[in-house]
Amino acid sequence: MVNEPSNSKTMYRNLILLVLLWEVVGRLDLVAGGALPSLSEIIIRMWIDRHDYPLHIGSTLYASSAGFLIGNILGVCAGVLFVLYPMTLRLSRGFNIAIFSLPPIAIAPILVITLSGMAPRIVLATMGVYFITMTATVVGLSQADSRTSELIRAYGGNKLQILRLVQFRSAIPSILAGFRIAAPNAVLGAILAEFGGGGRWGLGTYLLGSLGRGEPDRLWGIGLMATLISGASYFLFVVISNRFLKGSTSITLNTAIPTDITKNEHVLKTFFITMGAIFLPISIWWALIFFSGLPSMIAKTPWGVVEYLFFSNMAEAAQGRLVAAIAETLPITFIGMTAGLLFAFLLAIFSSLYFQVIRAFMPIALITQTMPLVALTPLLVLILGRGNSLTLWVTISVTFFPAFVTLTQGILLVPSLAKDLPKAYGGSKWQELIIVTIPASLPYLFAATRLTVPRALLGVMIAEWLATGKGLGNLLNQSRGYLDYGMIWTVAAVSVLLSIIFYQLVVYTERKVLGKLGMKTAE
Amino acid sequence: MKPDGIYLAGVNKIYKGRSKTVEALKDVSLSCPTSSFTALIGPSGCGKSTLMRIALGLETPDSGKVLLEGVTPAEATKIGKIGIAFQDAALLPWRSVRRNIEVPLNVLRKPIKDYTAKIQEMINLVGLNGFEDSLPGELSGGMRQRVSIARALVTTPKVLLMDEPFGALDQILRRQMNVELQRIWDETKATTLLVTHGIDEAIFLSDRVAIMHANPGKIVDIIDIPFERPRKMSLFSDTSFHKLSIQIAEILHGQ
Ligand SMILES: Nc1ncnc2c1ncn2[C@@H]1O[C@H](COP(=O)(O)OP(=O)(O)OP(=O)(O)O)[C@@H](O)[C@H]1O
Ligand SMILES: [Mg+2]
């Protein structure tokens, strides 16, 4: 990450300009007839509401910290297990993809009916954290210097000693980076669960409760508070990792290629592992229902869902509603995601021509990473109303920012030597763009797509749930109201499945395209 | 009869790559008597590192027998009889010089406090006193290399295996380190196998030079080095030294 003094100076200048502009626009009620109040108005309102905040904040903080803690413990332990026994990593692939790509809002109602109290919120926060920390741990541990690992092995050291003496310590920067990204995600998870289920306290509940009352200044105050909390959690870990990481970076480049475990493997073995990976999440679902001891009326097993959708007396009606909802949700997800990605790609490419632009804009783009963007949908409702354009803008905004950050950081990694080559032959900036920058950023475009698939679906479903009354999000919300448990489980299962399919499609295309170009995938 | 320090018999190793198969080692036999110094020399890719890795038990041979001090590599490493220095210093960047030297002791679960004197002795031996608490990032390439040699010696090994430990050093420093290594070896009398690219280094240090050819990797000749010990820097410019160098170079290039 770029973090030089001159950089932060321009960042502060830009921030101050932004706030001034906001103040003027807000005071003059320029946006949607006062839907965007000025910062000072919002702060005054927050002061008036000051007695409401502590309990709401406390509740959200409690759920997200508990989820953060549990998710990190699970993530680090799973990461260690996966590295020690690579077979477990392959077996858990299905489970991991499911956790990564499922839209949290889809399973929030399920958690609310199967668990009670704070548990649904903690679980959702945990799920937001687990995947990030697990990946960071695996990447960190396996990037450890293989030469020193061999030294330990040569002295008769076992896997655990390699882990303790070499891998764990060298994984710490990566794990800390994971914590940093996971912290805002825990807050987001908690707020989404508050949207999805009852409970009196929590910023999500507060936001939802204030949505119908037409008080923009209060809504913005809550949104700002949520952003502040998740931003603070992010910067806490920035400070910690800066403290910790002084002067112990590796000295020489490790050129050893990680061993390919699928080499020379019997086809049957590969087949069974793949089957295992597919059936593990389904078995976990089954086992959880079984051990929860909930009545089958409420808690559906995988088979229960199939039965509901195909063999029950309401099967036909259920199918009809489901298909109609999917038909509403999918196109707008596609459009929003494509627009967000395209916009990000173009902007990243063009700002690479003007280096200063990236450097000035990057810190602000990074800050957006810590915002619980999806959770701020109620604010967009104020400005955009409850039509399709709301869904579109939510989707674009939740895909644009992460994609832009991924792409720009990727472009910054293009060695300047490679860029100098066209220059040395008298090439123009455009030639440099076409010959070097665009091809080099392709892996990052795919990485960004992988990252945004689940977010896009989440964005659409949240907008549908809270505002537009269409598609899968609305179907979920309605079924919740009608206590149509079969449909709740079905929508959850279908949206997870859709996410997984999308994700796998992207991964497949990525392998094909990058393979053909002889490029490696970017993490 | 005492077992050989290093004993390899009929070792074969084939690597099956994606596009082709490499016979990295073909029927390689080598025995180094206890307290002898053997240098292994050969063109790049002839299997020197592979041989070394097999001797360390990091790689299993397709066939053949490997014994260190009469036991298998796995057993020998477990009881701390082996010292290792790799081509690349391979230090842990977050550990100070002293703590890097402690690594083998950590692995072998030896109490560090019994070894404080020994560790200091090793640091002095490689001429790094005053740098005990420096991090590897604050040292020069040659100093890092010396840390790795101190680390290899800290367990007082009976068998010392070194894969181009001076590969990263310039000629002058290399000569100095050669003299140092000879002195250290004289004191410890560990059975040593040194992989190197330098003919002069091989002759200067060793009792015997084993010469390898590539494709398939095999030992083609073993030359005895008759010079008296301790050898001095002046040996490098001796005429008999030159004759021997030329002889080895000819075998190396297959004439
Ligand atoms: N893990 C591996 N997989 C496949 N082939 C390998 C592997 N390790 C070594 N080889 C092959 O075995 C042969 C011998 O390699 P080795 O590293 O032992 O050579 P070397 O003599 O140490 O060379 P250098 O002097 O360059 O270090 C080479 O042809 C190499 O390509
Ligand atoms: Mg080698």
Side-chain angles (χ1 to χ4, degrees), chain A residues 227-516:
Chain A
T227 306
L228 217 64
I229 290 174
S230 94
S233 68
Y234 176 89
F235 283 104
L236 179 70
F237 283 94
V238 172
V239 172
I240 292 177
S241 54
N242 282 351
R243 270 279 160 86
F244 196 82
L245 300 181
K246 263 184 216 139
S248 60
T249 39
S250 179
I251 312 131
T252 49
L253 204 65
N254 180 12
T255 50
I257 308 158
T259 41
D260 183 7
I261 39 169
T262 51
K263 201 169 59 179
N264 297 334
E265 191 179 79
H266 199 275
V267 201
L268 263 179
K269 193 177 171 194
T270 315
F271 175 78
F272 279 120
I273 292 173
T274 314
M275 281 296 125
I278 292 173
F279 284 107
L280 187 69
I282 299 175
S283 337
I284 291 177
W285 173 1
W286 220 302
L288 284 180
I289 300 285
F290 182 79
F291 288 113
S292 73
L294 287 164
S296 63
M297 228 297 276
I298 295 177
K300 300 276 185 225
T301 59
W303 174 246
V305 168
V306 172
E307 205 172 53
Y308 170 83
L309 203 55
F310 295 103
F311 304 114
S312 72
N313 46 10
M314 320 171 268
E316 214 157 300
Q319 282 174 21
R321 283 192 292 155
L322 185 66
V323 170
I326 294 177
E328 276 175 343
T329 298
L330 279 194
I332 203 152
T333 310
F334 262 122
I335 298 171
M337 195 177 109
T338 315
L341 279 172
L342 197 69
F343 192 32
F345 187 61
L346 291 180
L347 199 66
I349 291 288
F350 285 115
S351 46
S352 82
L353 287 181
Y354 306 98
F355 227 58
Q356 300 82 344
V357 180
I358 298 193
R359 301 186 125 225
F361 198 60
M362 204 54 185
I364 294 178
L366 281 175
I367 289 174
T368 63
Q369 292 303 286
T370 70
M371 288 188 187
L373 276 174
V374 200
L376 302 182
T377 307
L379 303 184
L380 283 178
V381 176
L382 284 181
I383 299 175
L384 297 165
R386 292 171 178 270
N388 272 338
S389 67
L390 170 79
T391 317
L392 208 54
W393 276 110
V394 172
T395 318
I396 291 176
S397 70
V398 294
T399 48
F400 168 76
F401 289 106
F404 180 74
V405 171
T406 310
L407 281 164
T408 326
Q409 286 183 336
I411 289 172
L412 283 176
L413 287 180
V414 177
S416 55
L417 220 59
K419 285 186 188 156
D420 286 346
L421 193 71
K423 251 185 239 153
Y425 286 102
S428 67
K429 283 212 161 197
W430 285 102
Q431 281 174 314
E432 178 191 319
L433 198 69
I434 288 159
I435 297 172
V436 181
T437 315
I438 292 183
S441 60
L442 214 56
Y444 299 96
L445 181 62
F446 278 113
T449 314
R450 262 186 287 146
L451 192 69
T452 53
V453 167
R455 288 181 195 230
L457 195 57
L458 173 63
V460 172
M461 286 182 71
I462 292 267
E464 289 171 340
W465 170 303
L466 293 182
T468 67
K470 284 182 179 159
L472 281 174
N474 181 56
L475 185 57
L476 197 58
N477 194 18
Q478 263 182 0
S479 322
R480 205 171 55 109
Y482 301 153
L483 300 182
D484 185 352
Y485 295 110
M487 190 49 100
I488 296 178
W489 285 89
T490 305
V491 174
V494 165
S495 28
V496 174
L497 213 61
L498 281 176
S499 277
I500 295 178
I501 293 172
F502 266 178
Y503 179 85
Q504 289 293 62
L505 273 179
V506 177
V507 170
Y508 179 77
T509 324
E510 178 178 16
R511 287 220 187 110
K512 272 273 140 80
V513 173
L514 295 186
K516 218 166 238 167

Side-chain angles (χ1 to χ4, degrees), chain A residues 44-64:
Chain A
I44 291 168
R45 182 59 195 240
M46 282 173 94
W47 178 252
I48 297 171
D49 293 336
R50 66 186 178 281
H51 300 297
D52 291 342
Y53 275 102
L55 277 173
H56 290 304
I57 293 176
S59 177
T60 300
L61 269 186
Y62 171 77
S64 41

Side-chain angles (χ1 to χ4, degrees), chain B residues 118-184:
Chain B
K118 179 81 188 171
I119 292 166
Q120 195 55 50
E121 188 191 326
M122 290 303 122
I123 292 173
N124 296 343
L125 191 70
V126 297
L128 282 177
N129 27 354
F131 291 93
E132 290 86 348
D133 298 314
S134 307
L135 290 175
E138 300 160 352
L139 303 179
S140 75
M143 290 159 96
R144 274 182 238 146
Q145 207 61 268
R146 283 186 269 165
V147 178
S148 82
I149 290 170
R151 183 181 58 191
L153 294 170
V154 74
T155 53
T156 333
K158 290 276 184 347
V159 177
L160 190 56
L161 296 165
M162 293 189 284
D163 192 351
E164 293 183 54
F166 310 127
L169 306 188
D170 64 69
Q171 191 64 16
I172 298 169
L173 195 58
R174 210 175 160 122
R175 289 268 158 96
Q176 275 172 17
M177 290 303 295
N178 288 162
V179 176
E180 292 288 302
L181 183 60
Q182 180 186 223
R183 199 193 75 232
I184 294 165

